[in-house]
Amino acid sequence: MYGTRSLGASFGAEVLDFQLSGTPSEADIAAIRGLWAEHKLLLFRNQSFDEATLVGFSRQFGDLEIHVREEYLSPEHPEILYVSNIERDGRRIGILSDSEVGWHYDQIYLPKPAVGSLLMADTLPPEGGNTEFADMCAAWEALPEATREKLDGCLANQSYEAFNQAYSVPTNNKQKARSPDIHQPIARTHPVTGRKALYLCPGMTTEIVGWDADESAEMLAFLFDWTTKPEFVYSHAWQPGDALMWDNACTMHRRDPFDPAHARLMKRTTILPPAELAVPF
Ligand code: OGA
Ligand code: MN
């Protein structure tokens, strides 16, 4: 229904001639849903949008998660998380500032992990701040069979705290209580496509549950290296008007640093799995 153009990597597609603000029909949404599952990462270029459009469009794909970092939510639309280095009234309005952000899945620490995120460029620096994505389905499928057999059925510990210590500012006690460490399957069956993907990330995965500490560390180091090989990765150089929608059940992402002298503001929604698909494993 909509034309697409490859992003030049083994996954990801630009959707042509589509405006998020254009009140898409049910058929339009079904078409986008199909493309999203097929390509794992969708780029919409030249968008003109406001926050209500972002929330309204995102909601067509599922309930939206209200992020635990309430200090970085949009004052008007709490479904939107600001990712920014901008300060207003002596306080940063967004999460993650200007430094490098390591590989992570959004909210891997939720009991029912988010299936997608939509990120819109509001204000961009002249250079830097590329966002990279890794195809964790392809990474899983390319593993030697013996490694897959060893990992299948194992759980890994996911820690938002570990991510915050490395890349963000600490959470307060109430936020800590809402985002405790959690065990998730290391090979996760995608709730929509039924394909397996590696569900781990350097930013938040601390150990394989029940494994000897050295063996766990060695396997995780191998997997972090493996999943970020160039053949699994796409790097996005943002342009004004860009919106990216990613499959957060089978891709992880990271961000390059950028010059702190320049402002960057991105606006994100996070899509939860539909109730009937909420048993993800
Ligand atoms: C996010 C995120 C990276 C970026 O919004 O989840 O990781 O490019 N953003 O700002
Ligand atoms: Mn993220």
Side-chain angles (χ1 to χ4, degrees):
M1 186 175 193
Y2 290 102
T4 58
R5 181 154 54 208
S6 163
L7 298 179
S10 59
F11 68 107
E14 179 184 347
V15 181
L16 305 171
D17 304 316
F18 186 86
Q19 274 297 325
L20 273 61
S21 56
T23 333
S25 67
E26 262 177 46
D28 293 332
I29 294 296
I32 298 295
R33 204 183 267 286
L35 293 174
W36 185 34
E38 181 185 345
H39 297 285
K40 303 170 186 148
L41 174 68
L42 297 181
L43 168 63
F44 304 93
R45 285 230 132 111
N46 304 313
Q47 300 297 307
S48 61
F49 58 85
D50 53 22
E51 293 195 351
T53 299
L54 174 57
V55 172
F57 180 76
S58 305
R59 220 181 243 142
Q60 310 272 342
F61 299 92
D63 290 339
L64 304 182
E65 160 75 5
I66 310 283
H67 203 281
V68 62
R69 305 304 294 257
E70 69 269 2
E71 65 273 39
Y72 301 131
L73 301 179
S74 153
E76 310 273 299
H77 295 277
E79 302 89 345
I80 295 178
L81 176 72
Y82 289 168
V83 179
S84 188
N85 63 336
I86 296 172
E87 285 193 12
R88 262 179 221 148
D89 306 325
R91 166 188 104 70
R92 194 140 51 72
I93 62 165
I95 200 168
L96 300 181
S97 194
D98 46 51
S99 46
E100 181 189 357
V101 180
W103 287 105
H104 65 281
Y105 273 98
D106 289 340
Q107 281 117 316
I108 197 169
Y109 51 84
L110 292 179
K112 287 175 188 161
V115 288
S117 293
L118 236 148
L119 188 64
M120 290 196 134
D122 181 284
T123 307
L124 291 172
E127 57 181 1
N130 280 21
T131 309
E132 294 193 329
F133 294 84
D135 180 346
M136 301 296 268
C137 247
W140 169 254
E141 285 163 11
L143 276 175
E145 197 178 336
T147 312
R148 273 187 276 137
E149 273 169 17
K150 201 164 170 200
L151 292 172
D152 214 359
C154 291
L155 299 174
N157 186 60
Q158 312 295 349
S159 169
Y160 189 39
E161 200 52 32
F163 180 80
N164 288 326
Q165 280 178 17
Y167 301 111
S168 191
V169 289
T171 44
N172 63 33
N173 286 341
K174 192 173 132 219
Q175 291 166 333
K176 275 192 184 64
R178 262 195 69 197
S179 53
D181 284 13
I182 190 169
H183 296 166
Q184 305 276 25
I186 216 166
R188 178 181 176 212
T189 303
H190 193 286
V192 176
T193 64
R195 285 175 71 190
K196 278 201 169 140
L198 278 166
Y199 199 54
L200 54 90
C201 56
M204 300 196 212
T205 309
T206 57
E207 63 181 334
I208 305 178
V209 179
W211 283 34
D212 164 82
D214 288 344
E215 272 180 50
S216 161
E218 198 180 314
M219 177 59 89
L220 287 179
F222 163 76
L223 290 172
F224 296 157
D225 231 42
W226 176 266
T227 50
T228 55
K229 289 200 295 184
E231 69 230 59
F232 303 130
V233 172
Y234 164 70
S235 177
H236 187 66
W238 291 90
Q239 293 180 14
D242 278 0
L244 278 180
M245 179 177 186
W246 61 86
D247 188 324
N248 191 58
C250 68
T251 68
M252 63 173 182
H253 55 281
R254 65 169 288 282
R255 187 195 70 198
D256 286 338
F258 58 95
D259 182 348
H262 294 287
R264 185 178 187 269
L265 170 60
M266 315 295 280
K267 299 184 174 182
R268 192 186 100 199
T269 52
T270 312
I271 303 164
L272 293 169
E276 70 277 14
L277 295 174
V279 188
F281 313 118

